[in-house]
Amino acid sequence: MKEYRKRLYLSVLGMLISLTAGCQTSGSLSGEVKQTNASLSIDVLKDELIYWEPVIQEFQKRYPDVQVEICSYSAEEMVETASKRETELMAGEGKDIYLSIESSGFDFYKVQQSGVFADLYPFFQEESGFSEENYIAGMFDLFENEETCCMVPTQAIFSACVTTKTINEEIPVPLNELEDYQDFVRDKMYFVKQYPDRKDLPAESDSGEYNARWGVAIQDGKKSFEQLFQSDFWKMEQQLTRHRRKSDSDTIPMDWAHMEEFQKNISGYMEKKRYMCLDAQVDLAFQLYCQLGGKDKAVIASVPDVSGNTVVYPAACVAVSQNSPNKENAFRLLKIMLEEEFQKRNGGSVVKEYLTGEAWKDAYGQENLLIQGVACPGVDEETIDSLAGHFRNGTMAGGLLTSTKEKYSECMEGYYAGEKPLEACAEEFLSYLNIYCSE
């Protein structure tokens, strides 16, 4: 195990843990906590409760003698209470289970590396018929180079690209024939040069969250990013992003807080019918595909990574406190969320056999759809099945996270705004990462 995994998260937290050590049992962070499984305390973002409440209710129905405590926080409260909740967790006084840990406000990679989350893989191994082959590849290895599995996603997403058939015939590599992400960058460069006055969708890779497409991840350390920043294709993509920022300064960013406004904005762009969706989660991509005219007039495809695989992103990651006396109850809750009813209900299943595309057919498979008040053709079954197949055979990757994602965006913004050379921005991020990875 890496030596830094045995270190404390931050020196100040180390002091806090030392001060509270007298209140803990020996080995409280080594998995030797006495298990009582009499209760279950839950840390969750309020916005995520819409997904988790039915699961929690089902848990209470199956285990009526277990006392359940739900501690939910708004997004603002998550940020405001992050330090306090991190400290409690590090001191062995946190909640039993953390739902949607990526939304917790923690720097959850650092928290994980400190060893305060339980290894969930042994629990899975005890399940009858368990096989990693039943789940999306990579979901048991998120943010890890070790054998342990401290975070398990219960949902997953992937991105798709969309354009008109006319543009698809023009670009260097048709979207439905993309072999790798480099092909996609070539297509984006062509589109920007050929249609400089056309709007495109702000690529989600601006935030750094999708650097997983380039084959880099935080657990691989500084070296992988040094190699990335030397890539001509990465530099080309940053140039494209900078160009878009300058020409589309009034474009509403694609984020869930402004999704309704964003949808109206995109619908206006659809009227031009010369469009290339550079990055969109598949549900939004389906809508754009329909607005462009469906299978008769448009093309939709998954976005590959540098190795040609469909990269899948984790959502609603679950972690269990190493110091919890209720680990079995926590795992029971996790397993309920991975059951067919809840996987299909929430979409983006991580269990392969439930990822059938039926939810997409229900949402987009009608003959006609009404989108922003305009009648559009629905998505044909063959297209949905094809994308579901890409999803099912994809590989899950973590990309950047928490403070590293924010820092990446902050550093790159200097280049996008025309204030700094790209090399200087990359070096700034590498300097930060050097310190981050050494703590």
Side-chain angles (χ1 to χ4, degrees):
M1 183 176 290
K2 296 180 181 177
E3 186 173 348
Y4 67 76
R5 186 173 173 81
K6 299 178 182 179
R7 299 176 187 170
L8 297 178
Y9 169 45
L10 293 172
S11 58
V12 64
L13 290 180
M15 293 173 62
L16 286 166
I17 291 174
S18 297
L19 291 171
T20 57
C23 301
Q24 300 179 43
T25 60
S26 61
S28 63
L29 294 180
S30 63
E32 299 173 5
V33 178
K34 181 179 180 181
Q35 297 294 291
T36 60
N37 291 301
S39 61
L40 182 66
S41 58
I42 300 169
D43 181 288
V44 61
L45 179 67
K46 284 181 180 177
D47 290 346
E48 299 287 344
L49 276 176
I50 189 173
Y51 303 109
W52 284 101
E53 277 183 338
V55 179
I56 295 170
Q57 291 170 3
E58 179 63 24
F59 176 89
Q60 292 175 307
K61 179 180 177 181
R62 296 185 192 183
Y63 308 101
D65 295 333
V66 176
Q67 182 178 354
V68 176
E69 177 190 12
I70 302 174
C71 302
S72 61
Y73 310 84
S74 67
E76 293 77 14
E77 289 170 334
M78 279 288 193
V79 174
E80 292 171 358
T81 63
S83 296
K84 178 178 181 293
R85 288 161 46 245
E86 271 189 15
T87 300
E88 291 174 346
L89 176 62
M90 296 292 293
E93 300 171 355
K95 302 300 182 286
D96 295 313
I97 188 168
Y98 292 79
L99 309 182
S100 301
I101 188 72
E102 72 279 11
S103 303
S104 67
F106 299 172
D107 184 340
F108 66 88
Y109 175 69
K110 280 293 188 179
V111 171
Q112 174 185 263
Q113 291 300 306
S114 68
V116 297
F117 288 148
D119 182 5
L120 296 173
Y121 198 71
F123 288 89
F124 278 96
Q125 288 180 305
E126 292 177 3
E127 295 290 304
S128 176
F130 167 73
S131 171
E132 286 194 27
E133 296 298 319
N134 297 331
Y135 298 85
I136 291 179
M139 70 169 280
F140 294 104
D141 305 304
L142 288 178
F143 312 117
E144 275 287 357
N145 280 331
E146 308 294 340
E147 294 299 319
T148 55
C149 170
C150 296
M151 295 183 194
V152 174
T154 60
Q155 297 174 49
I157 57 176
F158 80 102
S159 293
C161 47
V162 182
T163 193
T164 64
K165 282 194 171 182
T166 300
I167 292 177
N168 197 55
E169 293 171 356
E170 296 177 7
I171 53 181
V173 183
L175 296 186
N176 48 331
E177 298 178 16
L178 294 172
E179 292 189 3
D180 52 39
Y181 193 61
Q182 294 90 322
D183 280 347
F184 193 41
V185 173
R186 291 188 185 96
D187 286 346
K188 290 195 288 184
M189 179 62 78
Y190 174 91
F191 178 78
V192 168
K193 289 182 177 179
Q194 190 70 18
Y195 302 104
D197 61 332
R198 302 300 178 183
K199 298 286 187 180
D200 61 46
L201 182 66
E204 293 174 318
S205 55
D206 291 2
S207 70
E209 184 169 7
Y210 293 107
N211 272 286
R213 287 181 184 157
W214 292 108
V216 299
I218 193 66
Q219 69 267 25
D220 295 328
K222 180 181 174 184
K223 184 177 180 181
S224 63
F225 285 93
E226 288 176 330
Q227 294 171 341
L228 172 65
F229 294 158
Q230 295 301 313
S231 164
D232 289 338
F233 280 103
W234 178 81
K235 294 176 183 178
M236 187 185 299
E237 186 173 48
Q238 305 317 305
Q239 292 170 12
L240 291 170
T241 301
R242 180 176 176 175
H243 170 83
R244 183 176 62 248
R245 291 291 185 87
K246 288 182 177 180
S247 60
D248 294 354
S249 59
D250 62 334
T251 298
I252 298 169
M254 195 189 84
D255 62 68
W256 297 110
H258 304 89
M259 187 51 64
E260 184 176 350
E261 190 176 2
F262 174 80
Q263 293 272 27
K264 293 179 180 178
N265 203 0
I266 288 296
S267 294
Y269 300 162
M270 288 300 101
E271 297 175 4
K272 299 176 180 179
K273 298 300 181 185
R274 279 188 167 182
Y275 188 85
M276 186 170 178
C277 167
L278 301 186
D279 268 326
Q281 291 181 15
V282 67
D283 286 282
L284 178 57
F286 273 138
Q287 293 182 39
L288 302 179
Y289 175 75
C290 295
Q291 288 175 292
L292 285 176
K295 67 175 182 177
D296 293 334
K297 298 181 180 180
V299 175
I300 184 171
S302 63
V303 180
D305 66 8
V306 290
S307 301
N309 300 315
T310 295
V311 62
V312 178
Y313 304 102
C317 293
V318 172
V320 175
S321 171
Q322 180 70 287
N323 204 58
S324 168
N326 301 296
K327 292 188 181 75
E328 185 176 341
N329 280 340
F331 185 73
R332 286 168 174 166
L333 184 70
L334 169 60
K335 284 296 293 181
I336 291 174
M337 187 56 156
L338 295 177
E339 291 177 0
E340 181 174 8
E341 176 186 351
F342 302 102
Q343 286 285 284
K344 286 187 173 180
R345 177 185 300 182
N346 293 321
S349 173
V350 297
V351 184
K352 287 184 180 180
E353 67 177 298
Y354 306 147
L355 215 170
T356 61
E358 293 302 320
W360 295 333
K361 291 174 185 176
D362 290 342
Y364 310 108
Q366 301 94 326
E367 186 174 348
N368 289 290
L369 294 173
L370 194 64
I371 303 176
Q372 297 296 324
V374 178
C376 304
V379 185
D380 58 292
E381 186 171 337
E382 182 180 357
T383 297
I384 291 177
D385 288 340
S386 175
L387 285 171
H390 282 287
F391 194 177
R392 191 179 300 110
N393 295 315
T395 301
M396 195 170 289
L400 300 187
L401 57 148
T402 319
S403 60
T404 53
K405 182 171 67 176
E406 295 170 359
K407 187 64 178 181
Y408 180 89
S409 297
E410 178 187 323
C411 292
M412 292 303 110
E413 190 60 39
Y415 172 71
Y416 300 149
E419 299 170 355
K420 296 180 181 179
L422 180 59
E423 293 74 14
C425 294
E427 187 58 39
E428 182 182 349
F429 180 72
L430 288 174
S431 296
Y432 158 83
L433 203 59
N434 188 51
I435 298 172
Y436 180 86
C437 293
S438 65
E439 289 180 334

